[in-house]
Amino acid sequence: GAGVSQSPRYKVAKRGQDVALRCDPISGHVSLFWYQQALGQGPEFLTYFQNEAQLDKSGLPSDRFFAERPEGSVSTLKIQRTQQEDSAVYLCASSLYERRQETQYFGPGTRLLVL
Amino acid sequence: GENVEQHPSTLSVQEGDSAVIKCTYSDSASNYFPWYKQELGKGPQLIIDIRSNVGEKKDQRIAVTLNKTAKHFSLHITETQPEDSAVYFCAATFGRAGSYQLTFGKGTKLSVIP
């Protein structure tokens, strides 16, 4: 079946603009994760959803970052008043169940550049 | 806090040789250790994973070993090919209740020279 998809693939924003990044997980996957990957670094956790419930948002760097998954499938990561330090690749991953040893499948990412 | 250290950061090997990447982790409650391959402009792709009830797992040219006592795990790629060139990340899930996210190492850029 189809994998995790993300849109847009690339986004250029002027400092201070709001952006919205979309993630379509694999159909039927209960768990959804957002990660941020800076250039030359490994992905870093932002937030986790189990169905529509946001159970962990400990990785969100500031209150300018907001994520939702209202119907337990598609998720949106919103960044308000973007700053240059927000420039990164934003990765979405999903897994079938909510178990710690569950495989996470990643999407291609959205590359955000804030000018 | 939780931490995963990965070495080396870059690795060059001749085609046909073996490549080894090593990772250490900080939380003894960790029980799941995946390895991802990331090519330029793409998302990480799972290549192999190991769970804490086994010490070694192999899939064709790729193998992973786990030493829970020493808190380290390693990726072994044999008979390397140019298409193995990519950035490889190790990761671990940690023991905090309700915590399912992966903590990643900083990556190893593998170059296979034809």
Side-chain angles (χ1 to χ4, degrees):
Chain A
V4 178
S5 60
Q6 294 185 244
S7 60
R9 291 295 313 279
Y10 303 92
K11 177 70 179 176
V12 179
K14 292 183 179 179
R15 188 162 56 92
Q17 283 185 329
D18 298 348
V19 298
L21 312 179
R22 177 186 169 107
C23 172
D24 283 83
I26 295 172
S27 178
H29 277 201
V30 167
S31 296
L32 186 145
F33 303 82
W34 284 98
Y35 292 84
Q36 180 189 59
Q37 187 175 25
L39 191 63
Q41 301 294 315
E44 292 190 355
F45 171 75
L46 294 176
T47 188
Y48 164 64
F49 288 86
Q50 184 178 313
N51 295 308
E52 69 278 3
Q54 188 175 20
L55 298 186
D56 188 348
K57 50 183 180 179
S58 62
L60 295 176
S62 78
D63 58 8
R64 297 185 296 103
F65 287 71
F66 171 77
E68 60 183 3
R69 193 187 185 198
E71 297 178 357
S73 55
V74 171
S75 177
T76 303
L77 176 67
K78 297 178 180 179
I79 309 174
Q80 297 177 325
R81 305 180 304 280
T82 52
Q83 303 295 313
Q84 286 185 323
E85 60 264 28
D86 300 334
S87 296
V89 175
Y90 291 85
L91 296 165
C92 176
S94 69
S95 62
L96 183 56
Y97 299 118
E98 65 280 8
R99 296 191 295 246
R100 188 168 293 123
Q101 298 187 1
E102 199 71 26
T103 299
Q104 293 185 25
Y105 298 92
F106 282 81
T110 294
R111 185 175 299 274
L112 173 65
L113 177 62
V114 182
L115 302 176
Chain B
E2 300 98 351
N3 191 43
V4 174
E5 297 283 342
Q6 182 172 348
H7 299 280
S9 56
T10 60
L11 180 60
S12 291
V13 299
Q14 290 291 135
E15 181 178 358
D17 287 350
S18 296
V20 180
I21 302 170
K22 298 181 179 181
C23 290
T24 60
Y25 59 96
S26 58
D27 187 349
S28 58
S30 299
N31 59 5
Y32 176 60
F33 308 91
W35 286 87
Y36 286 87
K37 175 183 180 181
Q38 188 173 30
E39 296 175 317
L40 198 61
K42 297 184 179 180
Q45 299 294 312
L46 180 76
I47 55 171
I48 196 167
D49 57 12
I50 191 166
R51 292 168 173 81
S52 60
N53 58 336
V54 296
E56 184 173 356
K57 183 178 178 180
K58 189 173 182 181
D59 182 6
Q60 300 183 346
R61 298 186 295 110
I62 296 173
V64 57
T65 59
L66 171 64
N67 183 328
K68 288 219 72 180
T69 302
K71 292 191 287 187
H72 68 69
F73 55 113
S74 300
L75 177 72
H76 304 251
I77 305 175
T78 59
E79 301 173 20
T80 53
Q81 302 168 1
E83 51 265 37
D84 294 330
S85 297
V87 179
Y88 291 81
F89 292 97
C90 62
T93 55
F94 287 88
R96 182 163 58 88
S99 168
Y100 303 101
Q101 73 265 31
L102 296 171
T103 298
F104 285 82
K106 291 186 181 297
T108 297
K109 184 176 181 180
L110 174 65
S111 299
V112 180
I113 304 163

